[in-house]
Amino acid sequence: MPPRGSPMYSRLPYGAHVILLFVCCFAAFILIILVTFSSPFISSINFLRLPAASGPTTFGSFGWCAPGYCLPSQISYEYGTEVNKALTGAMFLWPMAVIFTFFTLLAILPLLFVHESRALRWIGNRQFFLFSADLATILVVTAWLFSIYGWSIAHRAFEVAGTDVHLGSAIWMGLVAAILMVIITFLNWPKDAWDGTETRATGQPGRGLPAPPPGTGYYHYKRTTREVVPRV
């Protein structure tokens, strides 16, 4: 069965493909962490902001923060009638997205270096990458859709009540993270990269981590010739 791919997948040089995967995944990972640890942890990053003369009230994934008081972080919180537990409970998708985006980053890292550790064979392969990247993309996109839908409703409720309100930076940071994860899904695993313990994505000798050598000999990957040669 041929590997899943796209024009972008098939035309990019190996080096550019790996660097682009890493940069997109690392940037998405940082953005998702920041969204997860929004107000009350980082009050300047929030989904919704209520400006006031004494200072703004901000709403994040696990609580809200007002001048002089911050709600202790918790899953699913309420604020008046405008912010309810159905909305804030869905924000738990963000920390779940952090986990699988981290796994995706782990799968990409071995492609950047030449390693001798057999432990990396469990994560530096196409199957692990596809599982982690697809699940992370679904979680991030779903989390953002819940966020923009739910916080827009809360935004409208505050407006109806006559309260000055603004959407916060976490909404747009989440959007960028979702776009980056979709790009990673389209980029896919490099077509000539190592593809597990026995097969390669193209059926041909690939690059990246070499396949395990037969027997119990100690091998290393020679940078200059891109060959698997025995170490004496």
Side-chain angles (χ1 to χ4, degrees):
M1 180 177 177
R4 184 187 65 186
S6 65
M8 188 179 296
Y9 170 94
S10 60
R11 295 174 187 173
L12 278 176
Y14 176 82
H17 196 152
V18 172
I19 293 299
L20 193 54
L21 276 177
F22 175 76
V23 170
C24 288
C25 191
F26 184 75
F29 181 59
I30 296 300
L31 288 170
I32 296 167
I33 288 178
L34 292 175
V35 171
T36 301
F37 290 97
S38 53
S39 185
F41 299 100
I42 309 173
S43 58
S44 59
I45 300 175
N46 50 78
F47 292 101
L48 216 59
R49 180 170 54 89
L50 309 179
S54 58
T57 298
T58 56
F59 299 88
S61 296
F62 299 111
W64 55 269
C65 207
Y69 177 78
C70 288
L71 180 72
S73 59
Q74 62 184 59
I75 298 174
S76 186
Y77 65 91
E78 291 181 314
Y79 184 91
T81 59
E82 295 84 4
V83 178
N84 57 51
K85 290 186 176 182
L87 162 60
T88 56
M91 298 302 99
F92 186 68
L93 289 171
W94 287 110
M96 292 178 62
V98 169
I99 296 171
F100 288 98
T101 305
F102 177 68
F103 287 161
T104 305
L105 192 61
L106 281 182
I108 296 169
L109 281 176
L111 298 177
L112 298 173
F113 308 101
V114 177
H115 290 279
E116 297 173 356
S117 173
R118 287 179 179 270
L120 288 173
R121 299 184 189 282
W122 294 99
I123 60 173
N125 61 76
R126 179 174 177 267
Q127 289 77 17
F128 183 76
F129 169 82
L130 291 181
F131 170 77
S132 301
D134 289 350
L135 192 51
T137 301
I138 291 171
L139 285 171
V140 174
V141 171
T142 304
W144 185 79
L145 290 175
F146 271 113
S147 298
I148 189 63
Y149 178 73
W151 290 109
S152 293
I153 292 176
H155 183 278
R156 178 58 181 165
F158 279 114
E159 284 186 331
V160 170
T163 305
D164 189 18
V165 59
H166 303 284
L167 289 175
S169 57
I171 290 288
W172 315 120
M173 294 167 70
L175 174 60
V176 174
I179 292 173
L180 289 173
M181 292 308 301
V182 170
I183 291 174
I184 290 170
T185 301
F186 277 105
L187 284 172
N188 208 297
W189 188 250
K191 59 183 174 62
D192 56 351
W194 187 72
D195 190 33
T197 57
E198 296 179 356
T199 62
R200 300 183 188 278
T202 60
Q204 302 295 327
R207 301 172 66 175
L209 289 173
T216 59
Y218 187 77
Y219 284 73
H220 76 282
Y221 194 51
K222 191 173 180 182
R223 290 175 181 268
T224 55
T225 61
R226 297 288 181 180
E227 297 174 349
V228 178
V229 296
R231 173 179 288 178
V232 180

